[in-house]
Each structure stands twice: as C-alpha cells, then as structure tokens.
Amino acid sequence: MTSPESASPSRPAKAAGFALLGVAAVALVIGVVSLFSGGASDTPPVAEGSSTAPPAATTSEQASSEQPPASTTPSSAAVTTTASPAVPTSSAAVPPPPVTQPGTAKAPVRIYNNSTITGLASKASDEVRANGWTVEGTGNYSGGTIPTTTVYFRPGTEEEASAKELASVLRARVEPRFDGIQSSAPGIILIVTNDYQGVSKSK
C-alpha cells in the first residue's frame, strides 16, 4: 500500500520535468533557427561578390573570411577605372593644338616687284621659300606706287596670322588688302619695294 502512494506524487513531478525539458528544447530550437536566419540575412551581400557564398553561410568564420576579398576587389577596380581615363585626357588634349596651328597657318604667297631693282621678286621668293612658305608665283606690280614693302592678307581669314608671321620674318609691314588687289586669288600677297630688307642676318 505504501509503495503505490509514494509512486503517485513522483509521477507528476517527472511529468512536469519532462514538460520543462520540452519547453527548453523548443526555446533552443527557436534560438538556433533565429541565429541561422539572422546569419542568412547577412550573407546576401557576400553572395553578390561570389557565387559560392550560400553554402558557406552555415559557419560564421567562413562568411567573415570571404567578405574581405569581396570588398577589396571592387575598391581596386574602382581605383584603376578612375585613374586610367583621367591620365590620357589631360595629356592628349593640351599639347596637339599649339603644334598643329603654326603648321597649317602658312598660306601660299604671291610676290610682286614694285621697285626699280630688277629680279627683286625672285630674290624675295627664295627667302620666303627658305622659311617654309609656298610661293605660287612672282611678277611686277604696276597698279601704283607702294610706299614700303608690305604683306597683304584678306581680313577674317587664316591668311592674317600667316601674313603677320611672314612680315615679322621679312621685317616688313603687314596690312589688309586694298581695293586694287581685293579681287586677286586667295593667299598672301607680298609687294616688295626699294626698301626690301629680307630675312634678318642674325637668324
């Protein structure tokens, strides 16, 4: 009689203990699930960098070890892409314009003698050619008296820069075309007179 009475109170205690163990197990499962669900939310940024990231999400050490290479690769790529376009544009844009402008500025020249010196236009043409201009022809100008050796150009054209350069080389005057030569063919017109000096001897 005593053994069944003593066994009956211990059975509810055992049942309560099992119930507590069950609750603890459920709490443990919920904790583990929440732990893994939180780790899974951190893994997608790593999965963008590499396709092998999802299986590695089971351990926190593997996920953390894969993150540094993913972050260093885009940063190095970003540095190379920003540095490479900046160098060619700055170096290529500045030098060419000054080099090409002087070469293209030299317009063809026609030389006319308006002096009492025979062959002066021919002499001037040799010096003009020697300094890089193309001489398209020589002759005499009999339309009037030109007071001094002058280089003429058409205003508003590229001839102006070339005429000023040629006048500087020949130590001559430079002016826009006057009415008597307005209808002449395009190009620079050099009319040499008795005061023609030619190229400076120092050059």
Side-chain angles (χ1 to χ4, degrees):
M1 285 291 189
T2 57
S3 60
E5 290 176 359
S6 61
S8 61
S10 65
R11 284 178 186 171
K14 287 183 180 179
F18 283 125
L20 288 173
L21 286 175
V23 170
V26 170
L28 179 64
V29 170
I30 291 173
V32 170
V33 170
S34 66
L35 176 66
F36 283 118
S37 65
S41 65
D42 294 335
T43 52
V46 182
E48 292 175 1
S50 61
S51 59
T52 57
T58 53
T59 58
S60 60
E61 292 178 0
Q62 291 177 352
S64 63
S65 65
E66 290 179 2
Q67 288 176 354
S71 63
T72 52
T73 306
S75 64
S76 62
V79 170
T80 52
T81 51
T82 52
S84 58
V87 174
T89 51
S90 61
S91 62
V94 178
V99 176
T100 52
Q101 284 178 354
T104 56
K106 293 190 176 181
V109 184
R110 286 189 307 283
I111 304 171
Y112 298 102
N113 188 354
N114 189 240
S115 74
T116 58
I117 304 169
T118 305
L120 186 59
S122 177
K123 176 187 174 184
S125 68
D126 292 339
E127 293 184 332
V128 170
R129 285 192 188 96
N131 284 274
W133 278 267
T134 302
V135 177
E136 290 192 340
T138 59
N140 294 319
Y141 178 74
S142 57
T145 302
I146 305 300
T148 185
T149 299
T150 309
V151 181
Y152 296 97
F153 62 90
R154 291 178 303 154
T157 66
E158 294 180 356
E159 294 173 9
E160 183 172 356
S162 182
K164 288 179 179 178
E165 185 180 354
L166 180 60
S168 175
V169 169
L170 298 178
R171 297 175 290 172
R173 190 168 62 176
V174 59
E175 289 184 357
R177 286 189 183 187
F178 56 90
D179 292 339
I181 58 174
Q182 281 291 358
S183 59
S184 296
I188 297 171
I189 296 175
L190 169 63
I191 299 181
V192 292
T193 64
N194 288 333
D195 68 349
Y196 176 73
Q197 301 177 47
V199 180
S200 174
K201 300 297 182 183
S202 61
K203 297 179 81 175

